[in-house]
């Protein structure tokens, strides 16, 4: 096969793959349910073609949303000048939950994948863990030095609360509207933080 023709096929495959990833990324920001048929339609390819490039929806979404994940600095911008762990935890909790709501179709698909196929390569991005670490960073040289076990336990406790699963439990199962659910989770996260952190530990 001529090199030019081979290069053309490679480039076409790359364009197709990029179109599928781009369509998935764009759909994930709508908050609507995200499915492989919808992604294929948006990318102007068949569903079978989409599956030739990605074995499942979760692996596609993991790649598609990688560039959309915010970092701690963005989440902590409103409290950037504060060392108060309670205020910082409140900020990242609300930030994460609003991020989840804006992309809940994709988030729900990734949660479903981790439930039905735990330990698979397309594990969900650990966004919450980085945000929690960032929020509690002022404690590294204080509580982290004097009582590292308590700090580690607080991070584990917050990982349960500051999560999409907690949000969906309140909206889907308890019937709370999103704003009520966010307020409830922020309350729980800050209560946990306040209880675990001595008043002078961030100084």
């Amino acid at each position: 096969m001529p090199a030019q023709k081979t290069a053309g096929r490679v480039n076409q495959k790359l364009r197709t793959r990029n179109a599928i990833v781009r369509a998935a990324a764009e759909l994930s920001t709508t908050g609507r349910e995200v499915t492989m048929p919808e992604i294929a339609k948006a990318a102007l390819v068949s569903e079978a073609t989409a599956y030739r490039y990605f074995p499942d929806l979760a692996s596609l979404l993991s790649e598609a949303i990688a560039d959309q994940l915010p970092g701690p600095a963005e989440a902590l911008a409103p409290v950037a000048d504060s060392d108060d762990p309670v205020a910082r935890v409140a900020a990242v909790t609300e930030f994460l939950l609003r991020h989840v709501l804006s992309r809940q179709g994709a988030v729900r698909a990734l949660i479903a994948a981790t439930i039905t196929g735990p330990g698979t390569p397309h594990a969900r991005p650990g966004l919450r863990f980085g945000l929690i670490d960032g929020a509690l960073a002022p404690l590294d040289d204080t509580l982290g030095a004097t009582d590292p076990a308590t700090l580690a336990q607080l991070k584990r406790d917050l990982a349960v609360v500051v999560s999409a699963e907690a949000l969906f439990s309140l909206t889907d199962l308890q019937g709370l509207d999103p704003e009520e659910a966010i307020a409830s989770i922020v309350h729980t996260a800050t209560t946990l933080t306040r209880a675990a952190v001595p008043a002078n530990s961030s100084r």
Side-chain angles (χ1 to χ4, degrees), residues 48-139:
T49 296
Y51 275 115
R52 279 202 296 273
Y53 287 86
F54 295 92
D56 50 51
L57 178 60
S59 60
L60 169 54
L61 287 176
S62 294
E63 179 171 335
I65 69 172
D67 292 336
Q68 299 176 1
L69 298 178
E74 183 179 350
L76 289 163
V79 290
D81 296 330
S82 174
D83 285 340
D84 179 5
V86 175
R88 291 167 67 88
V89 164
V92 299
T93 301
E94 181 166 353
F95 181 91
L96 174 69
L97 298 177
R98 294 195 183 283
H99 178 82
V100 167
L101 280 175
S102 69
R103 294 162 174 78
Q104 65 174 298
V107 174
R108 288 176 183 273
L110 288 170
I111 289 174
T114 57
I115 291 172
T116 58
T120 49
H122 51 246
R124 289 163 55 196
L127 175 58
R128 80 182 86 172
F129 303 108
L131 295 182
I132 291 168
D133 285 344
L136 298 179
L139 298 176

Side-chain angles (χ1 to χ4, degrees), residues 33-46:
E33 180 182 10
V34 181
T35 65
M36 195 67 96
E38 286 296 318
I39 293 171
K41 181 180 179 181
L44 303 178
V45 300
S46 69

